[in-house]
Amino acid sequence: MRVLWVYFDIGTGNYLHYHHGVGAIDATLREHGHDTKLLYFQKAPTRALIWGEVEIFSPDAIFFPINTHQWMYARQVCDWIKERFSILTVAGGIHAILDPENVIKHPTLDAVCICEGEYPSLELVENLKSGKPIWDTDGFYFKKNGEIVRNKFVPLVENLDEIPISRREIWDMASTIEDQDWEVQIMGSRGCPYKCHYCANSGRMQVYRGHGQFIRQRSVEHVLKEVEVLSDLYHFGRIFFEDDVFIMDKSWASEFCKKYKQRFSFPFKVYIRVEDTTYEALRELKDAGCYMVSIGVEAGNERLRKRILNRHMSNDEIVRVFKWLDELQIKVWDFNMIGFPEETEKTIDDLFKLNRTLRPHIAQISIYYPYPGTALYKICEKKGLLSKREQTSYFEHSTLKLPDLPDDYIKQKFFEFRDESLKIRAARYRKGHYDFVERLEDAAVKSSSPEPIKRQLFQINGLSTVVILAHPRSEATWQLAIKPNTALRAFLGMYEYSWQWGGEGAYFIIQIEDESGKHEVFRRYVDPKNRPEDRRWIPIELDLTRWGNKIVKISFITEPGPSGDLTGLWCGWGATHLFQKEA
Ligand code: B12
Ligand code: SF4
């Protein structure tokens, strides 16, 4: 049988992503000889494209893995398919599990998988193949002659090692890995012991009750086998173990660390939860090659965190774990959210403050999105806070009607937090005795571009740093006392967007104004679109000794190239700082 996967990954940062659920079901189907293909969309497709693909592959069933954000795209594509074909349309995934009654109501959808999909999908496809009726396949709700048929829930897969390791054939893995900065993702477990009110896992725990063990872990050997299989097939440099909480079972984590480091040297990252984390567990992770952990901070206000989010860790506990991570030199990526019910200006402020204390390497912010089937969704519903708006990601707008916090305010705080996170990062990587990127607020700025001068994370040839983003024409000026023996260092770069389109490069200019007037001390034309040698970080160093012990105005100026075309000139002043040379 032929199964066509249609997977939407729209509004999720423009990086290609792998999906473990699809991988696991796909490996199960392939093991039984079924033919599969993936249509992967980062932009909404057109009807003509969908029709063309369906005609070419001629599937027997079309499978939609859906989360809440992507359900709107799946619905649309389902409608288009049914305009022309009578192929079985099936939805599954977290949104289908948490809200099956609403999902199955969609007129052009034939079936919804209400549980883990490996065995039910196999049975469905085998039934199709043998020509048996499909309507009594367990694990699904069906629409049969306009009536909804609700079949039994299939117990959770008891032994995860039974699920074949996916070779990820339907994915364009080479591009996905490169897009993910040479990282592959693996999951060693299912389930989470916590019950955070906003998280789909807490809803899933309810739905799965009575159907088997919610928390399951693959054997260490099986996970290591997957690393081996993937490293035989693909070229990658790092691994992300995306288990919801990597250190759930300390003896499992310890055994994993010991065995992993004997066989592999890929640096890796994991999610951890503050309460489960001990110094010893972190030390073992570090020793095995863990270079980064992700931690949910989510709220800075302890009361809000406990009452609304059902997260019971204290700020002190969070600070303690961050200290350990600093000591062990493990980087941290923390997750934060704003826009909860009962959120106030003060609780948002608390989140900023806590992050300033924690100094994560990356601080991610999103706007709370109520997922059907979760405890917090029900609270929002009860309080009348839900709007009918759907959003394609949680980086857009609040979908709640919060009486005290207008959407515009939340959005403004969202952007402020993003800038704050870059400031924290710039401070962490502070260079020299005066770092201009960190001290951007001290500058007088002028810009004729609609994009203001601001901090931005630039990645060029895999090396990322926070820059002062300065679309031409722009000028940022600092008034400073220059210490004796000072030099200025910077890395100039134009973002990879500017390599393909837009204007013909830009001038990076440094000007110093002293009592005798203005002096242009540096000018460099950078044109990555036409000059491949400019597709890199360009290091510069200037001797400022002649201004030692003087107060000067130092300006970083960007101007368009000779054509005067201002489009797409993403100019970045990276790691721009003053330092004292050896005497
Ligand atoms: C790894 C992960 C990612 C990865 C991989 C994406 C993915 N969709 O799997 C990345 C980093 C890319 C990611 C991105 C996002 N994620 Co995410 N992610 C997870 C995480 C931690 C694990 C998912 C996982 O692999 N689980 C294990 C697999 C085996 O389970 P599964 O995917 O549910 O699949 C099983 C069943 O659902 C079913 N099934 C799944 N699909 C189908 C399809 C058919 C046809 C059938 C029959 C069955 C079926 O069978 C599968 C096997 O048993 C979960 C939390 C969690 N524990 O689930 C959040 C989670 C899925 N993410 C979430 C969100 C919000 C996002 C983003 C929207 C965030 C954003 N950037 O805007 C994007 C969306 C990306 C996308 N297009 O799906 C939410 C989704 C909530 C919701 N109700 O929609 C979750 C649940 C976390 C949360 N906040 O509660 N995520
Ligand atoms: S700890 Fe993480 S995965 Fe577990 S319920 Fe909370 S948010 Fe979800």
Side-chain angles (χ1 to χ4, degrees):
M1 286 282 108
R2 295 158 81 78
V3 172
L4 183 65
W5 290 100
V6 182
Y7 175 46
F8 300 98
D9 200 9
I10 298 174
T12 61
N14 263 337
Y15 298 107
L16 298 170
H17 292 119
Y18 176 68
H19 187 301
H20 303 283
V22 172
I25 299 173
D26 196 66
T28 310
L29 295 177
R30 281 178 171 256
E31 200 183 53
H32 288 80
H34 301 291
D35 193 6
T36 61
K37 180 178 173 175
L38 171 73
L39 298 183
Y40 178 93
F41 294 110
Q42 288 187 304
K43 274 199 311 212
T46 60
R47 174 162 50 187
L49 191 147
I50 293 291
W51 282 356
E53 292 286 353
V54 172
E55 242 156 39
I56 293 167
F57 189 64
S58 185
D60 301 288
I62 300 182
F63 276 17
F64 297 94
I66 55 168
N67 67 47
T68 306
H69 297 284
Q70 312 285 331
W71 169 222
M72 57 178 136
Y73 300 106
R75 289 191 315 248
Q76 171 67 80
V77 168
C78 237
D79 293 352
W80 289 339
I81 289 168
K82 291 292 184 181
E83 276 176 33
R84 183 137 170 213
F85 308 95
S86 57
I87 303 168
L88 184 74
T89 50
V90 185
I94 187 68
H95 185 69
I97 290 170
L98 295 184
D99 199 14
E101 292 293 342
N102 279 315
V103 173
I104 193 65
K105 273 187 202 148
H106 188 71
T108 54
L109 188 74
D110 299 316
V112 175
C113 181
I114 56 168
C115 53
E116 292 187 325
E118 289 85 353
Y119 298 128
S121 301
L122 181 62
E123 198 185 329
L124 179 74
V125 174
E126 297 273 307
N127 284 345
L128 274 176
K129 187 178 171 188
S130 60
K132 279 197 207 148
I134 53 166
W135 316 115
D136 56 0
T137 315
D138 282 339
F140 289 96
Y141 287 179
F142 289 99
K143 223 178 275 112
K144 185 183 177 188
N145 307 325
E147 294 289 306
I148 295 171
V149 178
R150 293 179 183 80
N151 292 329
K152 278 201 300 233
F153 197 97
V154 171
L156 303 179
V157 180
E158 210 179 297
N159 174 10
L160 296 181
D161 287 7
E162 269 173 21
I163 301 169
I165 291 172
S166 174
R167 299 166 70 83
R168 310 187 181 192
E169 303 90 333
I170 53 170
W171 245 267
D172 175 359
M173 280 307 285
S175 307
T176 306
I177 292 171
E178 187 175 353
D179 221 33
Q180 292 287 337
D181 214 5
W182 306 104
E183 178 193 274
V184 289
Q185 296 79 32
I186 292 176
M187 263 186 104
S189 58
R190 288 187 188 175
C192 167
Y194 295 98
K195 297 182 186 113
C196 305
H197 279 163
Y198 56 87
C199 174
N201 251 335
S202 61
R204 187 154 28 194
M205 191 190 260
Q206 295 287 331
V207 174
Y208 287 1
R209 184 154 293 151
H211 299 293
Q213 191 67 35
F214 179 51
I215 298 169
R216 290 143 296 155
Q217 197 117 36
R218 290 163 64 190
S219 67
V220 168
E221 272 316 317
H222 202 250
V223 179
L224 296 178
K225 179 78 193 157
E226 182 159 5
V227 179
E228 194 182 295
V229 167
L230 294 179
S231 61
D232 284 347
L233 290 169
Y234 307 110
H235 174 64
F236 58 89
R238 297 177 299 123
I239 301 176
F240 188 0
F241 293 104
E242 287 186 310
D243 307 54
D244 291 311
V245 184
F246 193 78
I247 322 173
M248 274 192 292
D249 173 344
K250 291 194 183 59
S251 66
W252 186 95
S254 174
E255 181 192 340
F256 175 87
C257 288
K258 287 192 185 88
K259 293 189 171 157
Y260 178 87
K261 73 174 182 194
Q262 283 164 7
R263 286 171 58 182
F264 304 104
S265 54
F266 301 108
F268 64 90
K269 68 178 193 248
V270 298
Y271 291 115
I272 59 169
R273 167 101 185 188
V274 163
E275 297 98 308
D276 282 326
T277 306
T278 61
Y279 187 85
E280 185 47 26
L282 288 180
R283 207 193 47 70
E284 282 196 294
L285 277 175
K286 169 76 184 180
D287 198 35
C290 175
Y291 72 98
M292 183 180 248
V293 297
S294 291
I295 299 186
V297 168
E298 313 301 3
N301 180 285
E302 286 181 346
R303 190 168 175 274
L304 180 86
R305 194 188 299 130
K306 272 197 191 102
R307 244 177 74 80
I308 299 293
L309 277 57
N310 201 31
R311 288 170 73 86
H312 296 265
M313 69 282 268
S314 67
N315 283 355
D316 285 349
E317 280 174 283
I318 301 177
V319 170
R320 189 177 64 218
V321 171
F322 271 69
K323 266 210 182 100
W324 290 340
L325 290 161
D326 233 11
E327 251 173 74
L328 291 163
Q329 296 189 8
I330 300 176
K331 291 185 179 171
V332 195
W333 178 327
D334 77 358
F335 295 116
N336 303 275
M337 267 190 269
I338 52 173
F340 293 111
E342 297 191 16
E343 185 94 79
T344 61
E345 291 183 18
K346 153 106 180 46
T347 60
I348 295 182
D349 204 38
D350 290 342
L351 185 66
F352 278 68
K353 281 194 191 127
L354 181 58
N355 272 277
R356 278 181 210 125
T357 308
L358 299 172
R359 298 171 65 242
H361 295 77
I362 300 176
Q364 179 174 317
I365 181 83
S366 51
I367 297 174
Y368 168 63
Y369 195 98
Y371 294 125
T374 59
L376 197 47
Y377 182 93
K378 285 175 198 138
I379 294 173
C380 294
E381 198 171 34
K382 216 162 131 197
K383 290 182 177 229
L385 299 177
L386 296 174
S387 73
K388 289 222 167 339
R389 263 184 288 163
E390 281 181 290
Q391 311 255 295
T392 197
S393 98
Y394 49 34
F395 301 126
E396 290 172 36
H397 287 277
S398 174
T399 53
L400 296 187
K401 296 172 283 179
L402 294 174
D404 302 325
L405 285 188
D407 181 33
D408 286 355
Y409 180 82
I410 295 173
K411 193 69 197 195
Q412 179 201 329
K413 287 291 160 186
F414 171 84
F415 284 121
E416 279 176 23
F417 189 95
R418 275 196 168 171
D419 186 57
E420 186 71 34
S421 77
L422 293 175
K423 192 173 172 186
I424 292 169
R425 188 177 162 116
R428 190 176 251 289
Y429 292 105
R430 175 183 304 138
K431 299 206 168 47
H433 62 259
Y434 195 94
D435 189 307
F436 293 95
V437 186
E438 182 192 359
R439 307 287 290 268
L440 182 57
E441 282 73 15
D442 296 345
V445 295
K446 279 195 265 177
S447 173
S448 62
S449 155
E451 270 282 346
I453 294 183
K454 61 175 186 185
R455 292 185 196 87
Q456 182 90 26
L457 188 64
F458 263 31
Q459 190 178 55
I460 296 182
N461 300 330
L463 289 173
S464 49
T465 192
V466 183
V467 301
I468 299 169
L469 172 67
H471 287 279
R473 295 187 167 89
S474 70
E475 191 171 328
T477 303
W478 281 259
Q479 182 158 358
L480 291 173
I482 304 286
K483 292 186 184 176
N485 253 338
T486 290
L488 181 149
R489 200 177 275 151
F491 290 83
L492 314 180
M494 286 182 68
Y495 199 56
E496 296 181 356
Y497 293 145
S498 313
W499 299 7
Q500 271 93 35
W501 68 286
E504 310 296 315
Y507 289 101
F508 286 74
I509 300 160
I510 301 175
Q511 175 189 284
I512 295 186
E513 184 180 348
D514 59 15
E515 68 288 347
S516 66
K518 291 181 178 171
H519 311 274
E520 185 178 300
V521 292
F522 175 82
R523 174 179 281 260
R524 168 76 150 84
Y525 176 49
V526 182
D527 181 14
K529 204 171 101 186
N530 299 307
R531 304 194 326 193
E533 67 273 23
D534 285 351
R535 294 176 192 168
R536 63 182 174 108
W537 288 112
I538 301 167
I540 63 161
E541 193 168 312
L542 292 182
D543 184 8
L544 304 187
T545 1
R546 67 178 264 221
W547 287 282
N549 290 325
K550 286 193 180 153
I551 294 178
V552 300
K553 281 187 180 166
I554 181 158
S555 304
F556 299 92
I557 300 167
T558 54
E559 284 179 1
S563 72
D565 186 344
L566 290 163
T567 35
L569 302 178
W570 290 59
C571 300
W573 297 89
T576 307
H577 64 279
L578 299 177
F579 67 101
Q580 271 183 302
K581 297 186 295 174
E582 299 285 309

